[in-house]
Amino acid sequence: MSTELPPSLTAAMPLLERLHLAVWFFDMRRQSIVWANRQALQLWDAADLASLQERDFSISSEALRTRLAVYQAAFAEQRAVEENWTLYPHGLPLQVRCHCARFDNDWPDLMKVEAVPVSVDADTVRSVEMLRHVREMVSLYDDNGMVLQRNPAAALALPPSEGDALLASLPDPKLLAELRLAAMESRGVRRVVDVRLADGSMVRHQVQLFRIRDPATGESAMLISQHDVSDREKLLQLQRERSEELQGILDALPLPMVISELASERIRYANRLAIERYGMWLGSSSEFTPTSAALYEHAAERKRFLEILQQEGQVIDFHAVLRDREQRPFDASLTGCLIDYRGIPCVLASILDISHILQREHALEATLQHERELAEMQRRFVSMVSHEYRTPLAVIDGIAQRLQRQPELFHGEPLQSRAQRLRDMVKHMVSLADSVLTLTRLEEGQLVVQQGPVRLVPLLAELVEQSQDIHPDCQIEVSFAADDVLIVDGDAELLRVVFGNLISNAIKYSPRWQRLALRCTVAGREVHVTVQDWGVGIPADEQDKLFTRFFRASTALGIPGSGMGLALVRELVQRHGGSIAVDSSEDEGTRFTVRLPLLPALDERH
């Protein structure tokens, strides 16, 4: 091994070779011997320096690394270290007394070792080596706090040994006096205290103090062993925090959790939700006083639950009827398993209130029944639509056949009459198709209301005029002034559909289309449009279904219709922020009232 040596060592080599003392130089950074005199080679049982340098001197244990760090700290303070070493030339132990020091300040990693063989009994050697290898800090102090001996772990971590080193390590005089007194009065004292380290930092140590006699002088001494518990205390604190966090999580769970003894059924633990819902409370012994049997409405269900639990070790989704804190029964799903709680066989169970689930199942069944009814209504609707299309198509086909067979007969008034009838039939079919398409768009959410100011009086007057053109014999009583300013925020075309349907129905269901009334009134910030007829009316027990799609009252039998008009009217009125109401008596007529909000800027005029 070629290693550069300091000039001072090169100059001293001849003198060192003549010494009857074993001397070698150890590079602490490279962990190797760089030079040794003849006495050192004999001590190490090496033929020459080269063969000695081939040996492995690397630091392999934590204790040796700590010991080397102690040496470096002492050398930095220009102090030497003298202590016994155990060397192992060719694996055999050899006890030597070593004086170790830094050789040259310009070469801080180079340590000079002077060694003299000594005789030490085996027990002493073993005791010393054990103290050197343990990570526990062990120190021996006299009554004045002076350091008599420290193992490497203590020498490295604790304050320097000059003066009252014990007070430097335990800077609280009152605490130190208390510990000394306690150690004198008993065989030993164990405490967790704040300790100052060599770097000035304060840490938590668990300290054990023993009053003994110094085996070298027979004087009273204090043996102290200590180790850092900062990490352990942090861990314990973390565990406490996590325990509190876990408790918070358990208390925040949406499920009541209960632990009860398997044999006595005594409840040992319940989370917050279980306490709130089932009236449990904490007793003075920090245990719950009720029994789990008190939760059950039927004792047989509790018995069956335990039977399954003992047979299979767990129960999942067991249905039972339990009682809440008001003793009201409710449907519950229980999931449980067997556990050992503080050495006692117990049952851990979660309770899920499924009353609302069963209610939803019943509601779902009702919805399915409603869907079946809708399907039946749709079937009837398809049948009605087929009938509604068949009649006008038959009329159109009949007129077309007559025109083909006898075209010479149709000119002038007869031709105009037939053409008008064809147009009426087509208009009826288009109206029916429009109703179907509009209803489909409503169901699919595709109908958009084009909002804008709409003057109701002109719109209604136009619809009345169109109706009288179609039914000139019908008397329509109008109750609103032509110059009334009634403006709503809406879609004019959709509002025509609303009021056109109501006027058309009033005419259709009146005897011989004789009479109907249309009125507009203002109530607060709303306009009320009433369409009234004195026709067949609607039975009282059918009026709640009147706005259901495809529904037709029993009094409408024999009168053409699809059952979509009023459903469409209500949907459109609601899209305009309004409402519709019906008042009817069988054989006396019907009155529909549509309420729509007026525009805020204009409603104050009325």
Side-chain angles (χ1 to χ4, degrees), residues 413-433:
E413 182 60 31
L415 180 60
Q416 290 294 328
S417 176
R418 296 298 190 280
Q420 185 59 47
R421 193 170 183 191
L422 287 173
R423 291 188 66 191
D424 291 343
M425 294 298 102
V426 170
K427 185 177 180 180
H428 176 70
M429 295 174 67
V430 170
S431 176
L432 186 61

Side-chain angles (χ1 to χ4, degrees), residues 522-567:
V522 175
R525 296 180 178 273
E526 289 184 335
V527 57
H528 294 183
V529 181
T530 302
V531 181
Q532 183 174 4
D533 66 64
W534 286 265
V536 295
I538 304 164
D541 59 348
E542 296 180 6
Q543 291 181 18
D544 59 340
K545 302 177 183 177
L546 192 59
F547 296 102
T548 304
R549 296 169 188 175
F550 319 130
F551 176 79
R552 300 196 73 204
S554 58
T555 52
L557 294 178
I559 302 175
S562 62
M564 293 185 299
L566 289 178

Side-chain angles (χ1 to χ4, degrees), residues 242-443:
R242 288 182 176 177
S243 177
E244 293 173 359
E245 181 181 358
L246 178 60
Q247 185 67 41
I249 292 173
L250 289 176
D251 284 342
L253 284 177
L255 289 178
M257 307 292 294
V258 178
I259 298 177
S260 59
E261 295 180 10
L262 182 61
S264 67
E265 301 181 354
R266 179 184 182 185
I267 293 178
R268 306 282 296 186
Y269 168 81
N271 67 352
R272 176 189 55 79
L273 198 56
I275 297 172
E276 290 178 356
R277 292 188 179 179
Y278 311 125
M280 303 172 185
W281 64 92
L282 279 170
S284 58
S285 61
S286 297
E287 294 175 349
F288 292 89
T289 54
T291 62
S292 58
L295 296 172
Y296 286 79
E297 178 76 4
H298 308 294
E301 291 179 345
R302 165 69 177 173
K303 181 179 179 181
R304 180 58 183 157
F305 176 77
L306 292 177
E307 287 176 353
I308 298 175
L309 192 62
Q310 290 176 312
Q311 290 172 2
E312 302 181 7
Q314 65 177 6
V315 179
I316 299 176
D317 194 22
F318 180 85
H319 179 252
V321 178
L322 305 184
R323 290 194 295 262
D324 62 15
R325 66 183 306 145
E326 305 298 333
Q327 297 300 304
R328 294 172 299 195
F330 67 93
D331 293 286
S333 172
L334 302 178
T335 297
C337 62
L338 295 175
I339 64 169
D340 183 86
Y341 183 75
R342 298 181 181 178
I344 301 173
C346 290
V347 178
L348 170 63
S350 65
I351 304 172
L352 174 63
D353 187 345
I354 59 173
S355 300
H356 62 289
I357 298 177
L358 297 180
Q359 291 172 0
R360 289 178 183 175
E361 290 179 353
H362 297 327
L364 179 60
E365 181 59 34
T367 302
L368 291 175
Q369 180 61 31
H370 180 63
E371 291 294 330
R372 297 187 193 103
E373 293 174 357
L374 286 179
E376 176 60 21
M377 285 191 288
Q378 285 181 312
R379 185 193 64 77
R380 295 203 309 266
F381 163 71
V382 171
S383 176
M384 285 187 291
V385 170
S386 299
H387 178 269
E388 290 292 317
Y389 271 97
R390 187 180 295 113
T391 299
L393 286 173
V395 172
I396 293 171
D397 184 57
I399 294 174
Q401 289 183 33
R402 294 187 67 184
L403 288 172
Q404 286 179 334
R405 289 196 300 267
Q406 299 173 314
E408 69 280 359
L409 298 179
F410 298 97
H411 54 81
E413 182 60 31
L415 180 60
Q416 290 294 328
S417 176
R418 296 298 190 280
Q420 185 59 47
R421 193 170 183 191
L422 287 173
R423 291 188 66 191
D424 291 343
M425 294 298 102
V426 170
K427 185 177 180 180
H428 176 70
M429 295 174 67
V430 170
S431 176
L432 186 61
D434 286 343
S435 296
V436 173
L437 291 174
T438 304
L439 192 59
T440 301
R441 290 170 64 196
L442 277 172
E443 290 175 340

Side-chain angles (χ1 to χ4, degrees), residues 526-527 529 570 573-574 576-581 593-597:
E526 289 184 335
V527 57
V529 181
R570 185 175 68 170
V573 169
Q574 290 176 346
H576 283 77
S579 63
I580 184 170
T593 301
V594 175
R595 298 178 176 85
L596 294 173

Side-chain angles (χ1 to χ4, degrees), residues 467-468 471-476 507 512-516:
S467 299
Q468 287 183 327
H471 306 284
D473 297 331
C474 181
Q475 179 185 354
I476 302 179
I507 295 173
R512 296 178 298 280
W513 303 338
Q514 290 178 347
R515 178 189 174 199
L516 67 91

